[in-house]
Amino acid sequence: MVEASMESWRARVDAALAVALPSPDTSPQRLHAAMRHAVLLGGKRMRPMLVYATGALFDADAARLDGAAVAVELIHAYSLVHDDLPAMDDDALRRGQPTVHVAFDDATAILAGDALQSLAFQALSLAPVEPVVAVQLMRTLAEAAGAGGMCGGQALDLDATGAATTLTVADLERLHSLKTGALIRAAVRMGALVGGADEARLALLDRYAAALGLAFQVRDDILDVEGDSATLGKTPGKDAAQSKATFPGLLGMTEARARLDELGHAMTDALASFGERAAPLAALGEYAIRRAN
């Protein structure tokens, strides 16, 4: 049942993304092609599935969740396009394909990222939800994507490049709670807002999402050490090459794995009161700490 729901949500958001993105046959074709390259060539779709899975807790109709699911994936895609640029992490491989600046050029990649960000908020503006909910969704996503969220985390990450020996675990957790965690928390919150969740349930779901976001990054750091490009779909070993602080680097691999287990228990505790209805969220949490790419 859970696997069927996941496949249905993945297919649903893929179809919605294909419709939301501009046609590569219309001008400016190069920009449109770059946007589609950034979004449609694979991806886990973790964030949109979190939107659908959380909305399903409250029996929200999938059509009311589509706008938030599309928007959060477009913001995620834009962040990856910019993150891969030579001025940032300078990566040539993403999802097993050339990164956007490699497949096109730096300027087109910058414009594609900018356009994906604006398209995300356009998608939210078209969502069939009450005006007050639409405003809540836009505020949630804007806060998660901005200086107090993802962009702020990226700035901290750039500042920390080459500083692997000076950051503490607390510093690293704060960095990733912004860079990776903010958008994951936003995905969960948007699904709950569409579903009409009360403050108590929003708080429980935020606890779940905070643990999930951190677990996702701890696992990412482990995979950067242990993975290969064929499995990961991106270049491994980048963190060590750039002398970035990582959880295995600060804690050691054994303690990093123990931290993953702790975060798994935290997710389970946060979801306990929702019972079996939270099975899809629990499965996404389990995937985050066990994934191979």
Side-chain angles (χ1 to χ4, degrees):
M1 178 66 176
V2 171
E3 289 183 5
S5 295
M6 298 290 187
E7 287 304 313
S8 173
W9 292 331
R10 178 185 289 276
R12 185 177 185 93
V13 75
D14 280 346
L17 286 164
V19 170
L21 287 161
S23 169
D25 298 326
T26 60
S27 180
Q29 288 94 338
R30 186 174 180 81
L31 173 61
H32 293 170
M35 293 168 70
R36 297 179 76 88
H37 180 96
V39 177
L40 298 180
L41 295 183
K44 303 174 187 68
R45 306 300 190 224
M46 165 73 83
R47 292 153 190 81
M49 284 199 286
L50 285 168
V51 173
Y52 289 121
T54 309
L57 271 180
F58 306 99
D59 296 319
D61 187 81
R64 286 167 49 82
L65 296 162
D66 287 339
V70 166
V72 75
E73 186 67 8
L74 291 174
I75 291 291
H76 176 56
Y78 123 72
S79 75
L80 298 182
V81 173
H82 283 189
D83 191 49
D84 289 334
L85 285 165
M88 297 278 195
D89 277 1
D90 193 13
D91 215 329
L93 195 65
R94 173 72 66 178
R95 295 169 175 171
Q97 302 288 334
T99 48
V100 176
H101 71 276
V102 171
F104 295 86
D105 54 65
D106 290 6
T108 301
I110 293 168
L111 290 173
D114 292 345
L116 289 171
Q117 183 185 50
S118 64
L119 185 61
F121 289 97
Q122 181 180 333
L124 278 184
S125 75
L126 298 173
V129 297
E130 298 79 3
V132 66
V133 175
V135 172
Q136 290 173 326
L137 296 177
M138 289 187 188
R139 179 175 180 177
T140 297
L141 190 58
E143 289 177 347
M150 186 180 67
C151 285
Q154 177 70 354
L156 292 173
D157 193 30
L158 290 172
D159 289 344
T161 298
T165 60
T166 61
L167 259 68
T168 66
V169 173
D171 292 333
L172 190 60
E173 290 197 355
R174 178 172 180 268
L175 185 164
H176 288 302
S177 74
L178 299 178
K179 181 178 177 177
T180 303
L183 204 57
I184 286 174
R185 293 195 304 274
V188 171
R189 186 173 184 85
M190 288 195 293
L193 288 170
V194 174
D198 59 28
E199 287 299 323
R201 291 188 172 186
L202 283 171
L204 285 172
L205 289 166
D206 192 61
R207 278 176 47 201
Y208 157 80
L212 173 60
L214 190 53
F216 197 91
Q217 186 59 49
V218 175
R219 184 61 179 160
D220 219 46
D221 286 356
I222 291 171
L223 289 173
D224 190 69
V225 175
E226 297 182 340
D228 59 80
S229 59
T231 303
L232 296 178
K234 59 183 179 180
T235 308
K238 293 282 290 184
D239 294 335
Q242 296 176 345
S243 191
K244 285 190 175 184
T246 66
F247 290 98
L250 292 180
L251 296 172
M253 192 64 79
T254 299
E255 285 301 314
R257 293 188 188 281
R259 184 70 176 115
L260 263 187
D261 288 340
E262 290 174 7
L263 293 165
H265 291 310
M267 285 187 273
T268 299
D269 290 345
L271 295 176
S273 64
F274 294 100
E276 285 300 313
R277 294 175 65 83
L281 287 175
L284 287 167
E286 181 71 12
Y287 166 75
I289 63 177
R290 306 296 176 204
R291 64 194 174 91
N293 60 23

